[in-house]
Amino acid sequence: MNRRVRRWRFIVDWKLQGSLCAHSVLYGLLVLVAVSIGIFLPLLWNLGDADRASVMEEQAVVMLYMHERFWWLALLCLVIVVLGAVKFSHRIAGPLVRFKRNLRLMADGKLPSPLRTRSGDYLQEEVACLNQAVAGITARVESMQKAHAALQHELAALAASGSRQARDDLEPVFAASRELQQSLAAIQRFDTRDDALPQTAPAGRPSLQFAGSGEGG
């Protein structure tokens, strides 16, 4: 339930969305100012130049009528601009927040699960590129793990069949193999999905260690 509530938040990055909304409101205000000038300025101009009292009275009535209703319409337009800006910014900030989170995980040696987007989200092409990069790195790491397992097997067989001197000579190779094993073991799969399910590695293929995530998407 808590994850579902977090998933439906419209403000996920206050700095980015605040900037986008502020710019949208600014442009909306500029449009309203331009419309106001275009509507009221000609009336004021003609009102000052009117010669007949009847014409002046008619223009004054029109101006009062528009003034009474214009500001409510302007406020409604501003509300629409704000709501639209929040929705628009969420379609950008939502994927971008998870995009940056996955990049930070990769910098820490964790390979995140594929990042998913909704149909209306922006940055879908960039997200697809990130998913391809993670998949490529995962495949290469698994290939390295498989090659390392074969190397360990061959080294163990060589050490078992050789003399003590041969095993001593192979000690630097064993040390390098152990160091490589530690480096590969530090690279983990990290599940970033909200509805994470346990993953099962295909039979006969080495798999990266899979770590669960407590971080919502």
Side-chain angles (χ1 to χ4, degrees), residues 56-75:
M56 183 181 297
E57 182 179 354
E58 290 177 0
Q59 292 179 337
V61 170
V62 171
M63 185 173 179
L64 290 175
Y65 177 84
M66 294 180 62
H67 183 273
E68 182 180 355
R69 288 161 175 79
F70 174 80
W71 302 113
W72 291 106
L73 292 175
L75 180 60

Side-chain angles (χ1 to χ4, degrees), residues 76-132:
L76 178 61
C77 292
L78 191 59
V79 170
I80 293 174
V81 168
V82 172
L83 294 178
V86 171
K87 182 178 179 180
F88 174 78
S89 64
H90 181 259
R91 294 299 182 181
I92 297 176
L96 189 57
V97 165
R98 298 190 296 273
F99 192 98
K100 292 187 293 185
R101 177 198 59 192
N102 284 11
L103 286 179
R104 293 190 184 100
L105 288 173
M106 292 176 64
D108 293 337
K110 299 180 177 67
L111 299 177
S113 54
L115 179 58
R116 297 177 298 176
T117 56
R118 293 160 297 190
S119 58
D121 283 343
Y122 293 92
L123 304 177
Q124 296 204 22
E125 184 176 353
E126 289 77 9
V127 168
C129 290
L130 177 63
N131 289 339
Q132 291 174 3

Side-chain angles (χ1 to χ4, degrees), residues 41-52 55-56 59-60 63:
L41 186 59
L43 284 175
L44 292 173
W45 188 271
N46 294 330
L47 187 62
D49 293 343
D51 295 332
R52 293 179 300 175
V55 175
M56 183 181 297
Q59 292 179 337
M63 185 173 179

